[in-house]
Amino acid sequence: MKVFDTAVQQLKHMVLKEIIKNEYDHHIENLYVDIPKIISPGPKAHFRCCVYKERAIIQERIKLALGGDKNISSVIEVINIACDECPFGGIQVTDLCRGCLSHRCYESCPTGAISIVDRKCVIDKNKCIQCGKCVKACPYSAIVKAQRPCVASCKVKAITVDEIDSKAVINYDKCVECGACVNTCPFGAIVDKSFVLETINLLKESEKGNGKVYAIVAPTIASQFGPATVEQVVAGIKKLGFYRVEEAAQGADITLYHELKEWQEKSVITTSCCPSFVQYIEKHHPTLKKYVSSTVSPMVEIAKLIKTIDKQAKCVFIGPCTSKKSEYKLEKTGGAIDGVISFEELQAFFDARDIVLTGLEGIELNDASYYGRIFARSGGISKGVVEVGKKYGVDAVKPVAMSGLEECNVNLLKLKLGKSEYNFFEGMACDGGCMNGALCLRHGMANAVEIENYGKEAKHKDIERSVDLYKNPRKEYK
C-alpha cells in the first residue's frame, strides 16, 4: 500500500525526514547545502527544468520546515520559485461546442458577452464577468471555467494571481488556514510551516528529566497508517520517546458534554472544534461570532486533563490539520498544547528514526467513546450531541452537519437571516471532516468507513468515563 497520495507529499516527506535525521545527528548547520544535494543529486533533474532550480526549491522547503517566515503569522506560505504560473484562462469554449439551435449559453449570459459566430459560441473576455451561468447552461459541457487549482480550491477567495509575475498570492485577512490549497497545488508551491524541531526539543528535554511528553492523537489516525494497526502506531510513537499516547477523542467526549450544556444556556450555538471553521465565522460572518461555542477544542480539553494530573507534562498534538498549528498558540488555549505535528510529519519521524510500524508489538489505545472517535468525520458531532442529549434529558437539539466551507456558508447565511430550522451548527472546513484534512497521508471517502469501525471498536460506549475524569481527575489514571 502506498504511503502518500501524491509525489508532492513525498517530496515534502524527504525534506522533513532529512531535517529530523540531521537534528538528531547534530548536523543542523549544513542543512541548506547537504539536503538539496541528497534529494536532487543530479546531473539529471527529476521534477523541474534543471537540478539547480530543484535545489533552490528544496532550500525554500527547508525554510518552511524550520518554521518559515517569522513575519507571516499564518502557518501557510507560498514558495514563489515553486509556483509554476499555471494558466488562468477563465471561461472558455472548447471543441465540444456543437453549434446547437437552442443557444442556452447565449440566453443565460447576463452581460451579453456571448455571441454566435458560424453557429459556434464565442465569448467576449472584456464583457465576461466569470459568473459561470453559461457553463451550467451548456447541454454538452462545452464551456468550462479554467481556474488555477489553488484558486479553485479556496472557498473564501483568499488566493489571487499577481498581475506582474503571475504568482499565487494569499490574502491572510481572508485565509482561514484550512490547507485546501496546500493539498491541491500540483507543484507544491503552497506549503504549511513545520514545527518539528520544537517537538524534538521537547523529547530531548524529557530525556534529561524535564517533564514527560504526551502525544495526543486525532481519531483520523485510524485511517492513515495501514497496513499497520492503530496499536502499532501507538507503539511507534512511544518508541520516538513519548511517555504516553492519549486520544483527542477523549477530549471530544468532554467537548460534547460542554457543548450540550452550553446549548442549553444559549439555545443556538456553532461548534468550536474546527479552528478553520471558527476563523471562517470570525472573518467572513463576524455578526455570528456570538454563536460560536466557548468550549475549547478536543485537543485542548484532553491536554488540560493531562496537565491537571501531571503538572510537569508537555503535550504534542498529532493530526491531519493545518490550522491546529495556529490554534495551539492562541491565548484561549491557555498553553495547554506545547507542540503540533501532522500525520505527514509523524511519518517523517518514523522513517528518520528507522521505525517500521508493522514489526512492532501493538499497545492498546482505548480511552475514548464511540462518539468521541467519530468526531473525525462530518456528522459525528451532530450524531453525538443528539444521542448524549437523550442521556441527559435534552431532546430539542436540532443539529446540521456542514461538510466543507461551501455548506457552512449556505447554512450560516440562513442563520444570519433567521431562516434556519436548526439550532446546533456543526462546522467542518474540510469536505468530509477531519478524515480529509489537508495533512492526511491519504485522502478519500474510504476513510469514513475506517473511522466508523474505529468508533465501534471503542471500549466505552458513552462519554460518562471521560466526563467523570474531567470532574474528578485521578492520578492513577496516568
Side-chain angles (χ1 to χ4, degrees), residues 61 68 71 123 162 196 230 254 328 349 365 448 469:
R61 288 186 167 279
N71 295 316
I123 298 176
D162 188 278
V196 292
V230 173
I254 301 169
Y328 90 98
F349 264 101
L365 184 68
L469 281 169

Side-chain angles (χ1 to χ4, degrees), residues 143-427:
I143 306 176
V144 297
K145 188 172 184 178
Q147 286 184 298
R148 286 189 173 192
C150 57
V151 173
S153 71
C154 184
K155 305 308 179 184
V156 296
K157 296 180 171 57
I159 299 180
T160 55
V161 179
D162 188 278
E163 294 181 359
I164 298 175
D165 61 10
S166 298
K167 303 294 187 181
V169 177
I170 299 175
N171 182 339
Y172 292 111
D173 291 331
K174 292 182 178 181
C175 176
V176 297
E177 301 180 304
C178 66
C181 55
V182 174
N183 182 46
T184 302
C185 177
F187 284 90
I190 307 179
V191 187
D192 58 296
K193 296 177 181 178
S194 177
F195 307 116
V196 292
L197 295 189
E198 292 182 4
T199 296
I200 293 173
N201 183 60
L202 291 172
L203 293 171
K204 287 183 175 180
E205 287 297 312
S206 179
E207 289 178 357
K208 299 175 184 177
N210 297 324
K212 298 168 182 174
V213 185
Y214 294 73
I216 298 172
V217 295
T220 309
I221 198 168
S223 65
Q224 294 300 299
F225 292 89
T229 65
V230 173
E231 292 76 16
Q232 287 175 320
V233 179
V234 171
I237 293 171
K238 291 200 68 174
K239 200 169 179 66
L240 289 173
F242 289 90
Y243 169 68
R244 187 178 169 101
V245 180
E246 302 291 351
E247 293 189 75
Q250 188 173 12
D253 289 341
I254 301 169
T255 295
L256 203 55
Y257 171 77
H258 284 314
E259 288 194 338
L260 181 65
K261 294 296 183 183
E262 189 172 358
W263 178 86
Q264 287 182 286
E265 296 174 6
K266 297 180 177 179
S267 73
V268 178
I269 66 170
T270 69
T271 55
S272 57
C273 304
C274 171
S276 288
F277 173 62
V278 174
Q279 283 195 54
Y280 180 63
I281 292 178
E282 293 172 345
K283 293 182 177 183
H284 297 273
H285 294 280
T287 59
L288 300 180
K289 287 195 292 185
K290 61 184 177 181
Y291 295 115
V292 178
S293 172
S294 61
T295 301
V296 295
S297 68
M299 170 185 81
V300 178
E301 285 285 13
I302 187 62
K304 288 170 61 179
L305 175 60
I306 291 169
K307 291 190 173 183
T308 298
I309 299 168
D310 182 350
K311 303 297 183 183
Q312 304 302 315
K314 302 296 181 182
C315 296
V316 175
F317 177 75
I318 304 173
C321 180
T322 49
S323 57
K324 286 293 183 186
K325 293 184 177 185
S326 282
E327 183 195 13
Y328 90 98
K329 295 183 178 181
L330 296 178
E331 185 177 344
K332 66 181 180 181
T333 66
I337 297 292
D338 301 283
V340 170
I341 62 173
S342 68
F343 289 144
E344 291 178 337
E345 290 160 346
L346 179 59
Q347 184 65 56
F349 264 101
F350 289 148
D351 291 342
R353 305 302 287 163
D354 297 319
I355 296 173
V356 180
L357 297 179
T358 52
L360 300 178
E361 183 178 347
I363 298 174
E364 185 182 36
L365 184 68
N366 218 334
D367 294 318
S369 78
Y370 165 77
Y371 298 111
R373 286 182 172 182
I374 64 171
F375 263 53
R377 62 166 175 80
S378 177
I381 303 174
S382 295
K383 183 175 182 178
V385 78
V386 170
E387 294 303 317
V388 173
K390 292 177 183 178
K391 196 173 188 66
Y392 287 94
V394 180
D395 59 5
V397 183
K398 294 182 179 179
V400 57
M402 302 175 291
S403 173
L405 291 176
E406 289 179 316
E407 283 191 13
C408 290
N409 185 55
V410 170
N411 284 280
L412 291 177
L413 285 173
K414 289 180 181 179
L415 174 60
K416 188 182 295 185
L417 296 171
K419 295 184 177 181
S420 178
E421 61 184 291
Y422 305 107
N423 55 31
F424 185 94
F425 295 79
E426 174 201 315

Side-chain angles (χ1 to χ4, degrees), residues 4 6-24 27-28 30-41 47 53-68 79 82 187-188 191-197 200 342 344-353:
F4 303 107
T6 70
V8 169
Q9 290 174 291
Q10 182 64 43
L11 176 59
K12 181 197 290 187
H13 172 76
M14 288 190 286
V15 173
L16 288 166
K17 183 180 73 171
E18 291 301 326
I19 284 175
I20 294 168
K21 285 174 62 178
N22 276 270
E23 175 65 14
Y24 275 107
H27 296 152
I28 202 77
N30 295 318
L31 290 179
Y32 290 100
V33 176
D34 295 340
I35 293 179
K37 291 181 179 179
I38 292 172
I39 297 175
S40 181
F47 54 89
K53 186 169 184 177
E54 286 187 350
R55 291 174 181 174
I57 291 173
I58 292 168
Q59 287 178 333
E60 293 300 313
R61 288 186 167 279
I62 292 170
K63 291 180 184 178
L64 269 295
L66 296 177
I79 300 177
F187 284 90
V191 187
D192 58 296
K193 296 177 181 178
S194 177
F195 307 116
V196 292
L197 295 189
I200 293 173
S342 68
E344 291 178 337
E345 290 160 346
L346 179 59
Q347 184 65 56
F349 264 101
F350 289 148
D351 291 342
R353 305 302 287 163

Side-chain angles (χ1 to χ4, degrees), residues 100-148:
C100 65
L101 298 178
S102 65
H103 297 161
R104 288 196 173 112
C105 56
Y106 173 83
E107 299 295 342
S108 70
C109 182
T111 63
I114 292 180
S115 57
I116 306 300
V117 179
D118 294 333
R119 297 188 300 111
K120 297 297 182 74
C121 171
V122 176
I123 298 176
D124 185 339
K125 298 290 187 179
N126 294 322
K127 293 182 179 179
C128 180
I129 59 173
Q130 306 287 323
C131 67
K133 290 183 178 179
C134 59
V135 177
K136 296 178 181 178
C138 179
Y140 292 104
S141 299
I143 306 176
V144 297
K145 188 172 184 178
Q147 286 184 298
R148 286 189 173 192

